[in-house]
Amino acid sequence: QVQLVESGGGSVQTGGSLRLSCVASKYTYYMAWFRQAAGKEREGVAAISHGSDGTTYVDSVRGRFTISRDVAKNTVDLQMNSLKPEDTAMYYCAAASDTYGLTLRPQAYSDWGQGTQVTVSS
């Protein structure tokens, strides 16, 4: 089991930026960020593979968000720019083995952090 701890959430105005960070207790092949807005299902935002050579994003954030990781430090970051009110959600870090490949399906991820809140006001 992997323990994941997120940080970096907060409140910003539309167009602002935030950087989320997650530290894992040990190495995992894939790491990802998910989000869940009030009354909605959990949604995959971005995922990254071991060597950072593979990344994937949900269409709504592509070009605005960037996922990155430091394998040596077991960390994954999510740089969020040009934030919109619809980005408001609880953001979760997640980790997965190499069983399912690079994916944003939550079922593929076995370990989850507690979440960090992101609020974007108009």
Side-chain angles (χ1 to χ4, degrees):
Q1 190 173 5
V2 181
Q3 281 72 50
L4 301 163
V5 179
E6 303 99 334
S7 62
S11 297
V12 296
Q13 293 187 329
T14 298
S17 298
L18 283 173
R19 187 176 184 89
L20 305 183
S21 295
C22 172
V23 58
S25 60
K26 62 181 181 181
Y27 166 81
T28 60
Y29 199 89
Y30 294 107
M31 297 190 78
W33 287 94
F34 289 77
R35 66 186 179 186
Q36 188 165 17
K40 295 188 176 181
E41 294 186 353
R42 190 166 295 191
E43 172 188 46
V45 175
I48 189 166
S49 63
H50 160 78
S52 302
D53 54 339
T55 58
T56 188
Y57 297 89
V58 67
D59 287 346
S60 60
V61 308
R62 189 172 290 114
R64 300 188 297 122
F65 292 10
T66 302
I67 190 170
S68 60
R69 70 183 293 180
D70 186 327
V71 173
K73 296 180 179 179
N74 292 331
T75 60
V76 61
D77 292 347
L78 185 68
Q79 178 66 43
M80 306 185 295
N81 299 327
S82 302
L83 283 160
K84 305 175 181 180
E86 50 263 44
D87 295 317
T88 295
M90 185 71 79
Y91 283 71
Y92 298 90
C93 177
S97 66
D98 60 353
T99 301
Y100 297 102
L102 186 64
T103 179
L104 291 178
R105 292 185 298 118
Q107 299 89 339
Y109 291 81
S110 56
D111 298 285
W112 296 82
Q114 294 299 307
T116 185
Q117 178 68 37
V118 171
T119 303
V120 185
S121 58
S122 58

